Amino acid sequence: MNEEPDNLGLVHLLRAVTVEFGLRQTEFAARNGMHPTDVRALICLLDAARADEPATAGLLGARLGLNSAGTTAVIDRLERLRHVARVRDDHDRRRILLRVEPAAIRLGREFFGPLIDGVLQVLDGFDPAERETVRRFLTATHAVFAPEPRP
């Protein structure tokens, strides 16, 4: 049997994890009458909220790699499903921000919560130095794939 180098094996493991995560996203989308891009949009909006970034249509389109029409279609679908609301920015009333609705957050937690809990349980088996190594690896790997720096 032909053994691959350790580093390439890690790349293949990372790919396997991302494939499985993508399959879970697709399953969640199908169960909830959504397109897989809608799930990625919700993740982008939740990430923006955690980073205290204004979640605009422009930000969402850039993060998803969609043009203006595609971004509007995603937002319209999510709004029809009552997963997202368009709200005026308190600081600039001309700007419209996107907010993930609490019901959508609950729906996501019901589905992804056990998976997240499982990952947290795995991380509990690592000491702080090991977790920092994992964080450095994932941060650097994300930078390789991300089209733009993100917080």
Side-chain angles (χ1 to χ4, degrees):
M1 184 160 135
N2 188 9
E3 298 233 358
E4 56 191 20
D6 285 347
N7 287 345
L8 191 54
L10 290 173
V11 171
H12 289 258
L13 279 172
L14 180 60
R15 185 190 62 211
V17 169
T18 60
V19 166
E20 288 300 324
F21 187 62
L23 291 172
R24 297 300 76 76
Q25 287 177 321
T26 301
E27 180 184 346
F28 176 79
R31 283 187 185 186
N32 294 288
M34 299 165 66
H35 187 278
T37 301
D38 299 342
V39 179
R40 288 191 298 276
L42 288 172
I43 292 167
C44 288
L45 294 173
L46 291 168
D47 287 347
R50 266 192 302 282
D52 204 27
E53 287 181 286
T56 62
L59 175 115
L60 184 61
R63 296 271 167 90
L64 294 175
L66 297 175
N67 63 23
S68 179
T71 303
T72 299
V74 169
I75 295 167
D76 287 347
R77 281 195 309 266
L78 290 172
E79 192 174 43
R80 269 194 308 277
L81 291 167
R82 298 194 171 141
H83 293 321
V84 167
R86 289 174 166 108
V87 295
R88 289 212 179 274
D89 185 339
D90 289 336
H91 303 293
D92 180 351
R93 302 291 294 158
R94 296 167 296 173
R95 184 164 69 165
I96 301 297
L97 300 176
L98 304 170
R99 180 187 67 220
V100 178
E101 295 288 39
I105 294 169
R106 279 192 304 277
L107 192 66
R109 279 193 187 132
E110 287 170 9
F111 184 88
F112 291 104
L115 297 170
I116 293 168
D117 291 344
V119 172
L120 291 173
Q121 200 170 8
V122 168
L123 286 168
D124 282 344
F126 289 73
D127 66 41
E130 290 172 317
R131 284 193 301 270
E132 183 53 33
T133 299
V134 171
R135 184 182 330 281
R136 279 189 320 112
F137 170 72
L138 292 175
T139 300
T141 301
H142 182 252
V144 170
F145 285 94
E148 62 184 56
R150 296 184 192 160

